[in-house]
Amino acid sequence: MSGLPLAGGRVSPYRAVLASRVRAQRSYRTGFALDLFGSLLIGVTEFAEVWVIFHNVEVLGGLDFHAILVLFGLSNLAFSLADLLVGHLDTLPTYVRAGTLDAFYLRPQPLLAQLVTSEVDLRRISRIGVAGTALVSGLVLEDVSYGPRELTLLAIAIVFGTAIFAGLFVCAASLQFFLINGSELTNSFTYGGSYAAQQPTAIFPRPLKLLFGYLIPVAFTAYLPTLALLGLPGPAGLPAWLAWLTPVAAGWVWLVGMLLWRWGTRHYQVGGG
Amino acid sequence: MGTYLKLFRAGFSRQANYRLAMVAGLATNVVFGFIRAAILFAALDSAGGSLGGYTKGSISAYVWLSQGLLGAIDLSGRAEIGERIRTGDVAIDFTRPVDLQTWHLSEDMGRAAYTFIPRGLPSVLIGALTFGLSMPTTVLPYVLGFISIAIGIAIAFYCRFAVNALGFWLLDTRGARTVYMVTSTFLAGLYVPVSLFPGWLQTVALATPFPSMLQVPINVISGKDTGTDALLLVLMQLCWLAVTCAAGQLLTRAGRHKLVVQGG
């Protein structure tokens, strides 16, 4: 064992696992190509849904099609980046049911860090591509003048938007400890959150506006940054300047996530131990 | 026939064991229903009150019926047969004195029938209470509607069965299942009604069995299409039912020849 993980410091075990996962995915070329195609198709279809709506209307929730491209691009970019990094936390119930989670407890690293680095799902890359394309097209078509302010806003939105979705995946995984057969429930705020994030929050009735604006703050991932970037006013209760507070929203999601995670792991009883 | 009826009952009661899963499914259905209703209401307002022949009441009926039916009409690419083919258990299934496809269909219809109670009806009820929806006031659309729903469930099953039967030839059907799920949900009219598609895309959709799974049953039971139109829609469904059933039968038969069982 000497010379292996410990010598390389704290991060090298994680790096070794991740590198092996990347190699594993690349070695089944046909399967990987199909997965990439499937993921591309998911991205394209999500976009087609938006496009079909705009085939029928000019404006939705105060945004025109070019603005919707920015909104769609930002929300999907953040979500698919988070999905790439931590989306596999969704498989936690499988580990719990099969008892294989116990093996993770035996290793001298934090459980969450191990689970996060246990996989990196490279097929999401094509969805990231679709989102990036939509974002860039929207930004070019909207004719915004790009200064330091705009670039900072974009960077904040992408980095902390990803953090918000990643935090939601952690919240979802924590609840899985209690809901082994009810894992679909947590889809309502991971996938549901992503679906809500790509809509102009202004279209929602008041309770949903508060839900997606503050409690599960997905409006911060794309809608508010889009408003701030394009210089549009927000609806009542969600002014555009809130876009600068996206890091705070991410902090809130992670605070809840970490509390739920502690609660969940304490609830979990190792089988046969 | 008695065997299949028993399998139907078994499918029904097996589903009844997953109470928490049902509650979870309902909650997710409702959240997505709220978001979808908000989008289509906003689009309706933006279009000036009429959108592809829909009004507020009928678009709301479309949203909540589709959310409610989503438990019963399974548009995912998953089917139990896929796992049995992968593990090789299907070899034992072939020795049983029942038709493989009809056996799984009976169980799936039982599963679907049960989901109406904890998922279907509550979804529609919640939609009616929160967003309001317009439904027909005569009996006929409901009678024809339930027939249409039953056919829709069966078509959705036959397609999933066929996709999973590809497992006789493919080592891993995950890619095929993903492609199937994405295509089916979009073309069945789950996110946007098919009548809002641009003309050419409607033609593409109607050349597939997908609208017959979800959009058609919704149009029939919500009374959007009535009289001869409704009957023609159900007739179209019956054609797709025959086609998708035949596809599954052929694939199963071909797969059976392909199957190599160790030691025999």
Side-chain angles (χ1 to χ4, degrees), chain A residues 108-138:
Chain A
Q109 282 120 15
L111 182 63
L112 186 58
Q114 282 187 62
L115 282 172
V116 166
T117 53
S118 67
E119 175 74 284
V120 53
D121 213 338
L122 289 178
R123 69 196 148 125
R124 322 269 191 218
I125 284 173
S126 41
R127 219 181 137 184
I128 294 173
V130 174
T133 312
L135 176 62
V136 172
S137 338

Side-chain angles (χ1 to χ4, degrees), chain A residues 35 37 41-42 45 48-49 51-53 55-57 59-60 123 181-182 184-185 188 191-192 195-196 199 203-204 208, chain B residues 21 24-25 27-28 31-32 34-36 38-40 42-43 46-47 51 119 174 179 182 186 191-192 196-198 200:
Chain A
D35 278 345
F37 176 71
L41 201 64
I42 293 177
T45 317
E49 285 154 20
W51 173 76
V52 166
I53 296 275
H55 178 72
N56 293 275
V57 300
V59 180
L60 192 73
R123 69 196 148 125
N181 277 318
E184 212 186 333
L185 183 69
S188 48
Y191 296 96
Y195 189 42
Q199 319 301 338
I203 65 169
F204 292 127
L208 287 189
Chain B
T28 309
V31 171
F32 273 85
F34 281 147
I35 302 173
R36 292 180 51 209
I39 299 169
L40 289 169
S46 177
L51 185 72
R119 271 180 90 155
R174 188 171 81 171
V179 170
V182 176
F186 182 61
Y191 294 104
V192 189
L196 296 191
F197 289 4
W200 64 269

